[in-house]
Amino acid sequence: MAGASSPPPTPKSPKLQPPLLERAKGPSGLDKIVLRDPRGFTAEVRLYGGQVTSWKNEQGDELLFVSSKAVFKSPGAIRGGIPICFPQFGTHGNLEKHGFARNRLWLVDDNPPPLPVNSGIKTYADLILKPSEEDLKIWPHRFEFRLRVALGPKGDLFLTSRIRNTNTDGKPFSFTFAYHTYFSVSDISEVRIEGLETMDYFDNLKGKERFTEQGDALVFESEIDKVYLDTPPKIAIIDHEKKRTFVLRKDGLPDAVVWNPWERRSKTILDFGDEEYKHMLCVEPAAVEKPITLKPGEEWKGRLELSAVPSSYYSGQLDPDKVLHG
Ligand code: TA6
């Protein structure tokens, strides 16, 4: 329209970047820390259990499984994410199953001793757990457990656990450990694990008897609860339907537990949906077969790195070289 004057353009307000680290409240009012990386990946770690309960990619897809029936408060553990099993994995003696670290309230560690920092890491959170007087009655050892949760340069999730014996009575202690990681998968029958074939394992469904894995890769058609021993530092979980591969890299954690409760057992787990077994798989870097012993003053370190990458195909098959040696 001739002569019409258009209004002056409104100045664009600068896009506000959300902070990379944020303390927030969870569904039951519990404190959690939200980590964001500049590309859009996020992770959440709760003070309850020191537990990672979310890891999302830049599209906002959740990469970890958390049950719709999960309870985010004491006295149980949160069903999903990455529960930490310490000071024991499994059930032995009087100590509760999978230890007590997963159902204690951790603190933010404001002054952690230095840890070699990967220069690509822009955001991380440090938590600490020390035993209460009540804990010492169940497990009579003083310790400092420092957990660092970090997002790497490509949105990778890094967990570093440092456990130090702070006993003043001169006594060593021994423990077992696992990152009881629940992965979110499209359909368990479309998933395979590479890196555990030919490994020895204890089968928890067969009285902990020892067997050797046969075949090319692990596929799933029934309940599984196995502890693979002395496994390689790299394991891949390939989700055919999602065309996504989770790559686990671990250090200080020789074993790997694989668990899916399948249909019948799912129905016996109160905080787990009857059909949810189809959409989860636990692959748990662990130190189970040989307990770790620390003398007073000694420290142990166990690291887990998780990445989610597009699956690569070769002649209609996944190319394990690309997945595992890339
Ligand atoms: O890691 C596998 C396992 O030890 C299974 O035996 C199964 O019971 C699972 O952990 C879950 O344990 P939870 O105590 O969390 O119910």
Side-chain angles (χ1 to χ4, degrees):
M1 217 185 344
S5 61
S6 46
T10 26
K12 275 196 183 150
S13 57
K15 204 176 163 206
L16 280 176
Q17 287 291 339
L20 294 183
L21 208 64
E22 200 182 295
R23 288 187 78 168
K25 292 283 179 189
S28 303
L30 290 165
D31 263 325
K32 61 180 177 179
I33 299 173
V34 183
L35 292 85
R36 298 175 206 283
D37 92 325
R39 297 183 344 151
F41 274 72
T42 60
E44 287 181 6
V45 55
R46 283 168 200 270
L47 299 196
Y48 183 62
Q51 189 158 332
V52 174
T53 48
S54 173
W55 174 39
K56 289 184 181 166
N57 64 16
E58 65 263 74
Q59 284 87 39
D61 300 329
E62 182 55 71
L63 303 170
L64 298 177
F65 166 87
V66 177
S67 171
S68 60
K69 295 193 167 180
V71 181
F72 292 77
K73 61 181 181 199
S74 179
I78 302 167
R79 175 75 58 202
I82 312 182
I84 288 178
C85 303
F86 171 82
Q88 77 172 0
F89 177 84
T91 320
H92 307 280
N94 295 331
L95 206 51
E96 64 200 85
K97 184 178 174 199
H98 292 340
F100 51 74
R102 63 178 183 161
N103 53 22
R104 293 293 185 271
L105 201 55
W106 293 52
L107 298 173
V108 174
D109 190 5
D110 288 322
N111 197 13
L115 196 60
V117 177
N118 173 335
S119 57
I121 291 177
K122 299 277 182 290
T123 171
Y124 59 87
D126 286 295
L127 300 186
I128 184 165
L129 180 71
K130 293 183 194 178
S132 66
E133 290 308 312
E134 287 305 302
D135 295 336
L136 288 167
K137 288 181 194 157
I138 319 171
W139 199 66
H141 304 293
R142 293 189 186 274
F143 64 87
E144 286 175 358
F145 186 150
R146 293 192 152 81
L147 171 70
R148 174 167 293 182
V149 178
L151 279 175
K154 294 180 183 157
D156 304 347
L157 183 66
F158 297 165
L159 273 75
T160 307
S161 289
R162 289 181 284 173
I163 297 170
R164 178 176 291 278
N165 181 334
T166 56
N167 271 338
T168 48
D169 57 7
K171 287 193 180 148
F173 64 66
S174 298
F175 63 91
T176 53
F177 179 96
Y179 290 115
H180 199 302
T181 314
Y182 288 76
F183 291 94
S184 168
V185 297
S186 55
D187 176 352
I188 185 68
S189 48
E190 296 289 326
V191 171
R192 58 193 241 159
I193 297 181
E194 290 182 3
L196 298 179
E197 53 276 9
T198 74
M199 294 288 119
D200 278 8
Y201 62 90
F202 291 127
D203 194 337
N204 284 330
L205 302 178
K206 293 186 179 153
K208 296 194 171 31
E209 213 182 316
R210 191 173 177 133
F211 297 94
T212 302
E213 195 60 71
Q214 312 287 340
D216 290 341
L218 268 63
V219 290
F220 304 96
E221 44 198 28
S222 59
E223 183 181 358
I224 180 166
D225 189 352
K226 295 179 178 175
V227 182
Y228 290 88
L229 307 169
D230 260 322
T231 58
K234 219 167 170 184
I235 298 169
I237 304 169
I238 298 136
D239 186 335
H240 288 276
E241 204 173 296
K242 280 248 163 75
K243 297 191 171 46
R244 176 189 290 147
T245 297
F246 292 109
V247 182
L248 285 77
R249 293 179 181 83
K250 57 190 180 64
D251 189 32
L253 299 159
D255 307 322
V257 184
V258 178
W259 180 59
N260 182 295
W262 220 258
E263 197 172 353
R264 192 178 51 82
R265 179 136 352 234
S266 294
K267 295 194 173 117
T268 67
I269 307 174
L270 293 179
D271 57 347
F272 193 74
D274 288 359
E275 302 286 317
E276 286 184 327
Y277 74 93
K278 293 177 183 164
H279 305 297
M280 57 72 71
L281 176 64
C282 284
V283 182
E284 312 161 27
V288 176
E289 189 193 19
K290 297 175 191 129
I292 292 145
T293 300
L294 294 177
K295 293 190 195 117
E298 282 183 342
E299 184 176 85
W300 168 86
K301 196 162 26 161
R303 293 194 72 237
L304 168 64
E305 286 183 25
L306 299 180
S307 9
V309 297
S311 299
S312 48
Y313 287 84
Y314 178 71
S315 307
Q317 291 288 318
L318 274 157
D319 178 354
D321 284 342
K322 283 185 188 151
V323 175
L324 291 177
H325 310 298

